[in-house]
Amino acid sequence: MKPLEYLVLKGLILFQLFAFSEGIAQIIFAAPADFDGRTGSGLFQASGGTVTQLNTGNVEHNFPQISRNGVLVAFSTPDPVVPALQVPPSSDIYAFNRTTGQTTLVVNHETIIFSPSEVTNFTPVSAAISPDNQLLAYGVVLTRRQGTANPRATRELNIARLSDGLILANPTSGRGPVSDGFQSEFVGISWAPDGNSFVTPSYVGITSALGRPVQLPAIVRFGRAPGTQNWNIQAVLSTPQYFDNRFPPTAQTAIYPTLSPAGNELAYFQLFWPDAIGSSQGVIASLLVANADGSNSRSLFTFNQGLYPTGLGWSADGTHLVVSFANQLSVGTGFLPSGDPSSAVIRQISASSGQITTIPGVDAGYFPSASTIIASGSLANARLRIVPAANGGFRLLATGLESGAVYYLHSGPDLNSQTFDQPQPFSAEQLTSGINLNLASPNRWFQLVDPNFNSHEWTRVEPVR
């Protein structure tokens, strides 16, 4: 029998790479957009000063957040309105794959109808994909209405399987209804790099200035017991305060926590409420950076009163924070704990100096996020080939890569993007020494890919007997 030979055919494998410069070079964010005459919230990608709208098949993209490897974007969108119910519809959570353009329904919320006049709907307020793309942590508001009056709402935190939305853990189960007057709980979720914990705002008990027990939102870390799906609060990372020894009472809370790419620093917005009961005055928001355990916090930037945060994330190199803020919404009775999305803008702030600057090509927008893995290096000289492995299998090798750079590899049995596997990050050194393969078919297409869509050429690697 002749030994296996390997033929590399010039064809169609696309090589792509990340291109991050100092600061925020590429982000995902939401902004008002027109969809065939209907105004919605579009999903956008900004890279190197160029802004592109991403087509997910939806017209609403609430709190989008990109996965650690930059491939998937989690977001929420409401179901179609059912006029007969006369209540807001429930909202679902989706994952959009930037390399294939495919949108997948992960969590399907349906409004529960107890009677013609009593319903419960579900509204997610955040969602974040774990670093290994296996889990989804999300916060959701459950609102029960009898007719159109007296809605009763509470919030829950869930950890679900990303592949099918199956809830694996509910750390808030059994705690009872929570009154969230500050509309802060679970607003922002950020995973640690090891995937065994994440940070998010949640209510904790404190003692007020007059010695009374009070519940306020603080940044907390939820952790997983080793080898299980048992999640609970491991630590409180910020310091909420309630001063009821003055009138009106004032309060200090926190929202939008985000861990640095290395996981050693924590950034979040601290909110000071000059009137914690009547909301007669706007908040004063400060951007704080601390150690990952909450210690040694420092104020990086303080915003003008009445500007409300609408998103926060780190740059991939950890040198900058991307922030979004808007005019605080108000009604006749006072200010609301939210920002006006029509006035929201996105800026970057130096993590060392606190200097605030614009991002090329980006102005209006909210819920910004950036991937935390940097893939870099030119692919102009990259080549792929297959060689026999000692165990009788195959190895994929790459040449012409830049030392120290990170690349993404995925593959499929054909050029139908929906059949491609999830891209996986590999260092140039790993690819140069070879990746073990399990070829399910005699032909396989391999792709070095990155969400910036900088293309080189397609090459098919085909083992031939």
Side-chain angles (χ1 to χ4, degrees):
M1 179 182 295
K2 291 181 60 178
L4 287 175
E5 297 176 352
Y6 300 88
L7 176 64
V8 179
L9 301 178
K10 291 288 183 179
L12 291 172
I13 272 246
L14 177 65
F15 296 96
Q16 301 168 329
L17 61 126
F18 276 115
F20 280 86
S21 59
E22 183 180 0
I24 307 291
Q26 186 188 73
I27 63 171
I28 292 292
F29 64 96
D34 180 79
F35 297 87
D36 295 327
R38 174 184 173 185
T39 300
S41 175
L43 182 64
F44 294 87
Q45 168 184 287
S47 177
T50 300
V51 177
T52 305
Q53 185 171 350
L54 302 178
N55 181 15
T56 70
N58 293 274
V59 298
E60 294 289 341
H61 300 83
N62 296 318
F63 52 84
Q65 185 160 338
I66 197 168
S67 62
R68 182 173 175 82
N69 67 359
V71 175
L72 302 175
V73 180
F75 66 92
S76 175
T77 194
D79 291 331
V81 175
V82 181
L85 295 180
Q86 296 296 307
V87 297
S90 293
S91 294
D92 303 325
I93 300 176
Y94 293 84
F96 174 70
N97 189 311
R98 299 169 67 203
T99 63
T100 66
Q102 183 178 5
T103 302
T104 303
L105 175 63
V106 179
V107 178
N108 184 16
H109 288 129
E110 295 185 359
T111 298
I112 301 174
I113 304 175
F114 297 95
S115 70
S117 62
E118 188 170 3
V119 300
T120 294
N121 70 294
F122 301 81
T123 307
V125 294
S126 59
I129 297 170
S130 62
D132 61 1
N133 289 354
Q134 298 299 308
L135 301 176
L136 179 80
Y138 66 95
V140 60
V141 179
L142 289 70
T143 305
R144 188 160 183 165
R145 291 176 171 84
Q146 291 178 309
T148 58
N150 301 320
R152 293 168 291 165
T154 189
R155 298 194 178 205
E156 290 190 358
L157 177 67
N158 293 322
I159 294 93
R161 200 160 56 195
L162 185 65
S163 60
D164 57 11
L166 177 67
I167 295 176
L168 302 176
N170 181 332
T172 54
S173 176
R175 69 173 180 171
V178 174
S179 177
D180 187 9
F182 292 99
Q183 300 293 292
S184 297
E185 192 166 45
F186 314 135
V187 174
I189 295 176
S190 179
W191 287 85
D194 64 7
N196 289 317
S197 67
F198 58 83
V199 294
T200 190
S202 188
Y203 276 80
V204 298
I206 66 165
T207 301
S208 73
L210 293 180
R212 297 188 301 113
V214 177
Q215 292 279 325
L216 285 179
I219 306 304
V220 303
R221 183 184 293 270
F222 282 86
R224 171 171 49 187
T228 73
Q229 286 296 340
N230 297 323
W231 297 77
N232 52 53
I233 293 179
Q234 292 183 331
V236 178
L237 308 181
S238 68
T239 307
Q241 294 181 314
Y242 191 77
F243 297 97
D244 51 358
N245 58 345
R246 62 189 68 169
F247 187 82
T250 62
Q252 180 176 287
T253 64
I255 56 174
Y256 288 118
T258 179
L259 291 165
S260 65
N264 62 327
E265 290 186 288
L266 168 71
Y268 59 92
F269 287 109
Q270 180 174 278
L271 302 182
F272 176 74
W273 304 80
D275 181 357
I277 296 180
S279 298
S280 61
Q281 302 178 55
V283 301
I284 300 174
S286 298
L287 177 60
L288 269 60
V289 175
N291 295 333
D293 62 1
S295 64
N296 297 324
S297 64
R298 59 187 175 92
S299 179
L300 197 62
F301 190 89
T302 299
F303 297 85
N304 292 335
Q305 185 171 8
L307 291 178
Y308 200 90
T310 52
L312 179 64
W314 284 88
S315 67
D317 59 8
T319 64
H320 288 71
L321 287 145
V322 54
V323 302
S324 176
F325 51 92
N327 294 327
Q328 189 173 0
L329 285 169
S330 63
V331 294
T333 56
F335 288 89
L336 303 177
S338 59
D340 179 4
S342 66
S343 67
V345 296
I346 296 174
R347 299 290 186 264
Q348 63 178 349
I349 296 179
S350 169
S352 57
S353 69
Q355 181 182 11
I356 185 169
T357 56
T358 60
I359 301 174
V362 179
D363 186 30
Y366 37 89
F367 304 131
S369 68
S371 62
T372 54
I373 290 182
I374 301 177
S376 58
S378 172
L379 285 165
N381 299 315
R383 296 293 181 267
L384 296 177
R385 61 191 179 96
I386 293 179
V387 300
N391 62 0
F394 305 100
R395 291 176 67 80
L396 177 71
L397 291 92
T399 59
L401 304 182
E402 292 188 5
S403 177
V406 177
Y407 301 89
Y408 290 96
L409 178 72
H410 73 168
S411 66
D414 51 47
L415 291 180
N416 180 357
S417 62
Q418 294 188 4
T419 67
F420 283 178
D421 300 330
Q422 288 286 344
Q424 298 297 323
F426 291 98
S427 68
E429 286 70 26
Q430 288 175 305
L431 291 166
T432 299
S433 62
I435 304 298
N436 287 323
L437 300 176
N438 180 18
L439 292 181
S441 63
N443 299 320
R444 195 74 175 172
W445 294 83
F446 292 91
Q447 184 181 50
L448 288 177
V449 63
D450 141 333
N452 269 339
F453 302 104
N454 297 316
S455 62
H456 177 49
E457 66 176 359
W458 290 89
T459 302
R460 185 173 66 178
V461 184
E462 177 183 318
V464 179
R465 293 187 182 272

